[in-house]
Amino acid sequence: MHPIIATLIKRIGLGFVSLFFVSLIIFSSLNLLPGDFVEAVLGQSRTEETVATFRKELGLDKPFHIRYVKWLSAAVQGDLGSTFSGRNASYANQPQQSTARTVTGLLKPRLYNTFFLAAMTALIAVPLSLFLGITAALYRNTFYDRTVNASALATISMPEFFVAYILIICLASIYQIFPSLSNVTASTPFFERVYLSILPALTLTLVTVAHMMRMTRAAIINLLSSPYIEMAQLKGLSRSKVILEHALPNAWAPIANIIAFNLAYLIVGVVVVEVVFVYPGVGQLMVDSVIKRDIPVVQGCALVFALTYILLNLIADVISIITNPRLLYPK
Amino acid sequence: MSTNNTDSSILLEMKNVSIEGYSDESWHPIINQVDLSIRRGEVLGLIGESGAGKSTLGLAAMGFVRSGCRFTGGSVLFNGKDLTKMNEREKQKLWGTKFSYVAQSAAAAFNPAHRLINQTIEASVSHGIGKQDQLQREAIKLYREMQLPNPEEIGDRYPHQVSGGQLQRTMTAMAMTSKPDLIIFDEPTTALDVTTQVNVLATIRNIVKEHNTAAIYITHDLAVVAQMADRIQVLRYGDTIEESETNNMLKTPKEDYTKSLWAVRSIKKKEKKTTDSILSIENVDASYGSGPKVLQNVSINVPKGGTVAIVGESGSGKSTTARVITGLLPPQKGRIFFEGKKLEANLDERSKENLRRIQMIYQSPDTSMNPRHTVKDIVGRPLEFYHNMKGNEYSKRVIELLNLIELDESFIDRLPSELSGGQKQRICIARALAAEPELIICDEVTSALDQIVQEGILKLLLRLQSEFNISYIFITHDIATVKAISDEVVVMHNGYVVEQGMKSKIFSPPHPDYTKLLLSSVPEMDPKWLTKILSSQKSKY
């Protein structure tokens, strides 16, 4: 077997191990949170009896480890359980009439929205930052390089909501090109969806490009003092050939890592932007569920976030392995 | 090696070339008004120590200066045109076509991401000299001329898949593909083992001669340049010291500085036979992790107050032996005795007293000293650790130690970055001495230093030995150093001890095969040495 495949299998295995530990942390830490869903829902009128019945119905009367095993084994099969909310106190006595939705059912459309926005942003931001990073490295210390760097720093220094509101003022209010609300629904047609999502996508592009572009530039410039770059120059190759053919192929590993990091951010860290544009993504759902103490939903969101992080980092790892001939072609 | 180049025309002429480099926020001269000229087909040897400006001058011959450097005067005339006046694009047309460069470390000068063949023909392809497949065929032909194994297939490999010697030959082939007028060889064999060096030198010499290419051969090793060059130019601190035909230069060097380049070869310690043993290791096997055995059944005896030199190529197990002795790498098998008593295999189990008695000095003082510690901290640390010294006594002892290594007390508050290479190595010696050890292991301690500095360090070590009766294990790949300072010699190869004995015995025949190969591969000053050694090797097969 090619050693790369063994390495990949090992990485994937390690990914599962981390996912397991993350699930344990998610489950146990949410149990430590103050406040209790049952008491919050039943309110002032609760009696010990109704509390106990409701707890039993939600399965909260069982000990921690049993609940964890049950939750995890269901989660592995794609079932993240049912939401707490949607049931209310009156149903406590008649559990069969519960209208609680499944967490997966609740999560799916939200997740689709989040991935849609992330993908749209990535499609703009990744090529843009690679282009800017490479050209900045190529023309380093020129006016172009300084301008790109300074504007990237400016956008990264502003809070996202501020960037978002500026875009709204410019592109939705003064020039009414794009809508300021991105309230997409499951039935929104594709192109309208793209149109509605442009402002949040632009906001996210502005806040992520700086990071990716600067790291791309740094990764390339870092290699420019290597003897093989000098060798390439002394072969009479043009500057762009030296950068594109000799520096860039050796810079993919750090670049892939920083891109993965930013893509993960686009999925798990965009709640502020979702709130500004009223975009129905997972971030909002998670915040709402925390407020309502709807633990299964919070757990579901956290698990999806963890999975995204691990998967993206795995991909970055794979890229750094396959772009390294030392690993790809062993002695 | 013809010297009758008088009728050939001048290919390149550098006149009054001055170059400055930027550091510490100001410009410093690197090359001061140096003249250099090369005729077609001639090989010029450029020799000097590190910092002499050899590489800078060699690159300047192509009209290239590294970033942070600039031409400040003079001209570089090639076919009547001044390279210093050309713009980048005009020079790029010459680089890779008329000029080629062969770098010191082939391992670093090849791009790890591309196959060898693509890098070999890259310059010619991008300059449109020929078609891809035709260039590939020519490259394969050159690979064959360079005596690379599997010339048809070796080009499909990546740089990490071939050995250092093969890479160096591939790089020479790479320089030849565009049939340049001038090749700059920048220390092309310095990073190679002596046995590999012989072959690379021979192939470079043949190919340059056959294609009648002019070359500038940069090196710090006079014996090497004697084999390669028609003419030698000696540089120091950016000035030309002297310049003449190779034979004249070797027979009658005019300047004292040129004579001093032989320095180490002039030290000759008289060998001393000692029967008392201070350290012996017996039948040691060792490996890193679960890897292959790096040492196999190694037994070495170190005489009290004497010097054992361990010689061998890289990968022969020299440094691993040092790690076993110091306890950094507990052996899988075998025992270590110090003054007749068994020594614990693992560093952690040894008593402080036993740790004190064996000290180590490393090849690179830059990496073995903490850059943020002052000389006082560095030398004083063993005083605190082993001898519980404090305050006045501590400071006094540090100054004493500095005096021992021939530095004065003004050095006490300096940082490593404020010292020269030789001074740094002296501080490392002082640090080892501070523990008052009985045995010092010197791992390639002079390899990174210039000839004259090397001489100073070796003399110092010899003086300290006679004053304090310290025993040395001296690990080196340099036969000249071995001859200079050892009493006994251990020859290692592939993890085995090939032979051990008194210096006089090891260096006089009969030799085991490997020792013979090793000794015969050390370049000698005789310009005919390479030719002789090649014909003697050939006659064997």
Side-chain angles (χ1 to χ4, degrees), chain B residues 106-119:
Chain B
F110 272 106
N111 191 324
H114 299 299
R115 294 180 195 274
L116 292 176
I117 187 82
N118 295 336
Q119 302 195 53

Side-chain angles (χ1 to χ4, degrees), chain B residues 193 281 284-288 292-300 309-326 329 360 441 443-444 473-477 490-498 514:
Chain B
D193 284 318
I281 61 175
V284 162
D285 282 9
S287 67
Y288 293 100
K293 277 193 184 165
V294 188
L295 295 183
Q296 305 226 35
N297 206 23
V298 168
S299 302
I300 289 171
I310 304 183
V311 274
E313 301 179 3
S314 56
S316 60
K318 308 185 297 280
S319 293
T320 308
T321 308
R323 291 176 68 86
V324 166
I325 295 170
T326 51
L329 180 75
M360 189 137 178
I441 301 174
D443 190 354
E444 302 270 11
I473 295 179
F474 209 94
I475 295 170
T476 180
H477 67 275
V490 175
V491 181
M492 287 190 77
H493 184 51
N494 286 342
Y496 289 97
V497 171
V498 178
Y514 178 72

